[in-house]
Amino acid sequence: GAVVSQHPSRVICKSGTSVKIECRSLDFQATTMFWYRQFPKQSLMLMATSNEGSKATYEQGVEKDKFLINHASLTLSTLTVTSAHPEDSSFYICSARAGQGAFGYTFGSGTRLTVV
Amino acid sequence: LAKTTQPISMDSYEGQEVNITCSHNNIATNDYITWYQQFPSQGPRFIIQGYKTKVTNEVASLFIPADRKSSTLSLPRVSLSDTAVYYCLVGPSSFGNEKLTFGTGTRLTIIP
């Protein structure tokens, strides 16, 4: 089946630095990808919709200048957390739609970001 | 997408059948009911989808009453590996490029 590859799986960075997370669709093209954030014991919260070749659409309350999204090709979307702070520590998950129906949505394995 | 309500958590012993119910009073005529499973530190995984009555696959069954205002995910003979969070989503089958919005989910813990 369709696979979404997400890297890195874990990253630790110092406060004030930036971190880039990659989300790749393998064997299929994704014009749209989604980025979620999940805090411990909480549900997934949609952060933004990544659109190939155009600007991302951010959910209310998500700072677009802090969470930079680039979707430069049909198989790659990146999320850059800029000037990271400890409160940005979270589990970030990307998703892409490989086919019709809800089962067409495939999720990456997630990235655990820890800001120290 | 229609709002859903699920129990926050459930415990069950190994070998038991587990039923998780989801309420979706505002479900629309063209909405389908979809369940996802999420293990710790992993992304969600599609389990099952249905529109009415009963759907069964190799993993689970989904029971939907005639009024479709609720649905029940049934996991037969659970094992420790079924410990996960289960999310119920309601929306158009194709979803288009519509974003998936997750509710609180049900944290299922299987006890040895």
Side-chain angles (χ1 to χ4, degrees):
Chain A
V3 176
V4 170
S5 176
Q6 190 172 339
H7 293 281
S9 57
R10 288 179 173 271
V11 59
I12 300 173
C13 70
K14 290 186 177 180
S15 186
T17 62
S18 296
V19 173
K20 180 184 287 187
I21 302 170
E22 292 189 348
C23 180
R24 294 181 185 273
S25 58
L26 306 183
D27 299 326
F28 72 98
Q29 296 180 335
T31 57
T32 303
M33 291 185 178
F34 304 90
W35 287 95
Y36 294 83
R37 179 168 55 180
Q38 187 175 32
F39 292 108
K41 305 284 187 177
Q42 295 187 23
S43 182
L44 286 77
M45 185 187 76
L46 181 66
M47 299 175 66
T49 301
S50 169
N51 302 298
E52 187 268 336
S54 65
K55 291 182 179 181
T57 304
Y58 291 82
E59 295 300 303
Q60 189 173 9
V62 178
E63 301 174 58
K64 62 180 181 180
D65 293 331
K66 180 168 187 60
F67 299 100
L68 300 179
I69 291 173
N70 184 280
H71 195 154
S73 78
L74 288 171
T75 59
L76 174 64
S77 175
T78 61
L79 168 68
T80 301
V81 182
T82 63
S83 186
H85 289 94
E87 58 265 30
D88 297 323
S89 298
S90 187
F91 191 56
Y92 293 87
I93 307 169
C94 69
S95 172
R97 187 159 176 262
Q100 293 295 321
F103 49 81
Y105 285 87
T106 301
F107 290 81
S109 54
T111 297
R112 174 77 58 193
L113 170 64
T114 302
V115 184
V116 298
Chain B
L1 300 180
K3 179 177 172 57
T4 60
T5 303
Q6 307 173 229
I8 295 296
S9 64
M10 293 179 66
D11 294 338
S12 180
Y13 288 98
E14 275 191 292
Q16 300 282 326
E17 178 185 77
V18 172
N19 296 310
I20 305 174
T21 298
C22 177
S23 296
H24 27 79
N25 291 318
N26 296 323
I27 189 169
T29 302
N30 63 340
D31 282 345
Y32 281 66
I33 300 144
T34 309
W35 286 79
Y36 284 85
Q37 175 191 55
Q38 185 184 25
F39 294 115
S41 297
Q42 293 188 28
R45 181 177 72 110
F46 172 87
I47 300 177
I48 197 167
Q49 183 186 60
Y51 183 81
K52 63 179 180 179
T53 61
K54 177 183 176 182
V55 178
T56 298
N57 62 22
E58 64 278 6
V59 177
S61 294
L62 179 59
F63 297 92
I64 306 167
D67 67 5
R68 305 201 324 124
K69 292 183 182 300
S70 66
S71 58
T72 300
L73 174 72
S74 181
L75 305 173
R77 297 182 300 281
V78 294
S79 64
L80 295 177
S81 62
D82 293 314
T83 293
V85 179
Y86 293 82
Y87 295 96
C88 164
L89 279 74
V90 173
S93 172
S94 67
F95 280 101
N97 270 327
E98 191 168 341
K99 47 198 179 184
L100 297 185
T101 303
F102 289 78
T104 58
T106 298
R107 185 171 300 274
L108 175 64
T109 301
I110 305 304
I111 304 166

